Amino acid sequence: MELSKLPLVLLLICNIYSGQTEETEGSGILQLSNEGPRAVLSVSPQKWLTEGDPVTLNCEVNSSSTGWTFSWFTVILSSVIICIFSLNTDLSDRYEQLSDSSRGAGGKYTVSSVALKHTGVYVCRAERGKPAYTKYSNTQPLWVTGVSPPVSLIISPSRTQHFTSDSLSLSCEDQSNSDGWTVRRYTESWGLTDCSSLHQGSQTGSTCTISSTSTLDTGVYWCQSESGEKYHPVNITVHSGVILESPVHPVTEGETLTLCCLYKHTSPSVLRADFYKDGSLVQNQTTEMIIPTVSKSHEGFYYCKPPERGESPKSWISVRGSHSYSQISVLHTLTSVLAACPYLLVTVVLIYKCCRMRGKTPE
């Protein structure tokens, strides 16, 4: 059996053992029929967010939209890990109900301003009557990037897309010390795992090393503290063909963004290609795409397409506001207020004098 298919076979066995026969989206697993209502979870506007952004999780039931009450959960373990190590068929052990789950009673769970703590993988479930529960929904991850996170995920080579069979290193670096941090990840095949559970992975201190990458390593990686706090999620894609060289960290407004198209089996590895943003061609037949001054409008999904080589996977380029821009804005506001103060003071004094003069006027 091919090693790349092993996680899918294990997941199928575990799902059958635990009584889950529902379809697993995007996994390529044999789809077994399962009658009855099913909860479907979606996210709006997107799963990649910056601290302070709004987000809404929408839970719907495919058979009917009336009379249902909803519960909301975060995924704490993958089904494969539970099946292999604990042989536990109680699916509630995989999920942790949100403390404010009742806030999403209408099928919509809304967070007006996300924080780093909202990073995680979510599912929902609906109930109508007792004990008429739907099965748990499909998973929907939310990844929240902090404005100034206390720890950084350092990736080597420093890019978000990587070739198969390459070595990859991920380290959590804190300004004070790197102790107590663990590299964790979420993938379609394995769910939530840490580095030491990977086939080619090992964890030394706060550094995760994958000696030989495969497409199964595609997923989101982040730094997690001993208390469970999650910081600096990064989407890593492993691909056997063309890849896009793009920055790991969000680009700051006003900086320069450079994108390249790479192919492992040519020398030099940089290819002449067309570059796309959100599906639209933005630059054609060039070895690198350069945006000299990045703004928020440049945020989006990018990929490259060289002639006769296929195309690279898509990478999300995040743009954060410049701190210097914020300082200029605050300074401008303070200057305006101070400039208006003399006029305001003169007006108050004139009004006061007018009132006193009226009070002294004989009747």
Side-chain angles (χ1 to χ4, degrees):
M1 178 184 296
E2 293 181 22
L3 180 62
S4 62
K5 295 182 180 178
L6 181 60
L8 304 183
V9 173
L10 289 174
L11 183 57
L12 176 59
I13 294 172
C14 291
N15 286 343
I16 292 174
Y17 179 82
S18 63
Q20 281 196 113
T21 55
E22 65 201 84
E23 172 189 349
T24 304
E25 294 185 5
S27 65
I29 294 175
L30 175 65
Q31 297 179 7
L32 305 180
S33 61
N34 180 44
E35 295 181 359
R38 180 184 177 186
V40 178
L41 183 62
S42 60
V43 60
S44 177
Q46 62 187 12
K47 62 184 179 182
W48 281 97
L49 304 160
T50 302
E51 215 174 351
D53 287 347
V55 70
T56 298
L57 294 170
N58 301 290
C59 192
E60 298 177 327
V61 181
N62 59 3
S63 61
S64 172
S65 59
T66 58
W68 295 95
T69 57
F70 298 88
S71 300
W72 305 84
F73 306 82
T74 55
V75 181
I76 55 175
L77 282 176
S78 71
S79 57
V80 175
I81 300 300
I82 284 181
C83 177
I84 294 173
F85 294 105
S86 68
L87 295 179
N88 189 349
T89 59
D90 183 1
L91 294 182
S92 64
D93 287 347
R94 292 179 54 204
Y95 308 107
E96 183 175 60
Q97 188 166 2
L98 301 183
S99 58
D100 58 347
S101 184
S102 60
R103 188 156 61 89
K108 292 183 182 295
Y109 184 90
T110 299
V111 180
S112 58
S113 178
V114 296
L116 294 173
K117 66 179 182 180
H118 293 114
T119 286
V121 182
Y122 294 80
V123 295
C124 66
R125 188 172 66 173
E127 176 186 6
R128 187 169 61 181
K130 294 186 178 179
Y133 287 103
T134 64
K135 286 187 175 293
Y136 290 100
S137 70
N138 56 301
T139 57
Q140 280 289 357
L142 290 181
W143 310 115
V144 183
T145 302
V147 177
S148 54
V151 64
S152 294
L153 181 60
I154 307 301
I155 299 173
S156 181
S158 184
R159 56 178 184 250
T160 57
Q161 295 186 16
H162 300 267
F163 296 114
T164 54
S165 303
D166 277 0
S167 176
L168 178 62
S169 172
L170 307 98
S171 300
C172 296
E173 294 191 3
D174 192 337
Q175 291 183 353
S176 55
N177 78 72
S178 298
D179 295 334
W181 296 103
T182 302
V183 177
R184 299 208 72 196
R185 72 172 188 174
Y186 172 77
T187 66
E188 290 279 334
S189 302
W190 289 108
L192 289 169
T193 55
D194 57 37
C195 185
S196 59
S197 66
L198 311 183
H199 174 66
Q200 298 286 347
S202 61
Q203 181 95 22
T204 304
S206 295
T207 298
C208 167
T209 302
I210 304 174
S211 58
S212 181
T213 55
S214 76
T215 54
L216 293 176
D217 294 316
T218 294
V220 178
Y221 294 71
W222 65 91
C223 297
Q224 186 159 320
S225 68
E226 293 177 341
S227 59
E229 297 171 306
K230 307 176 187 71
Y231 295 105
H232 213 147
V234 176
N235 191 30
I236 298 293
T237 304
V238 179
H239 190 55
S240 59
V242 174
I243 66 171
L244 179 71
E245 187 175 53
S246 59
V248 171
H249 308 300
V251 185
T252 303
E253 284 185 305
E255 291 183 347
T256 299
L257 171 64
T258 302
L259 304 176
C260 295
C261 203
L262 305 181
Y263 188 60
K264 188 176 183 179
H265 305 294
T266 60
S267 182
S269 59
V270 179
L271 299 178
R272 183 173 292 274
D274 297 336
F275 290 85
Y276 294 80
K277 174 184 179 289
D278 298 329
S280 299
L281 179 66
V282 290
Q283 197 163 324
N284 64 334
Q285 290 303 296
T286 180
T287 54
E288 61 182 14
M289 175 180 166
I290 300 176
I291 301 174
T293 306
V294 171
S295 66
K296 195 68 175 176
S297 63
H298 292 115
E299 197 169 68
F301 285 99
Y302 289 80
Y303 65 96
C304 64
K305 187 175 182 180
E308 301 178 358
R309 297 285 185 188
E311 64 184 42
S312 73
K314 297 176 176 63
S315 278
W316 172 259
I317 304 296
S318 179
V319 179
R320 62 187 171 195
S322 169
H323 183 62
S324 60
Y325 286 0
S326 300
Q327 286 181 327
I328 291 171
S329 178
V330 171
L331 183 61
H332 177 73
T333 303
L334 288 174
T335 304
S336 299
V337 171
L338 291 173
C341 282
Y343 298 100
L344 182 61
L345 182 61
V346 170
T347 303
V348 171
V349 171
L350 289 175
I351 292 173
Y352 175 73
K353 286 187 175 182
C354 286
C355 290
R356 289 193 64 183
M357 291 178 66
R358 286 184 179 181
K360 293 179 179 180
T361 302
E363 296 182 1

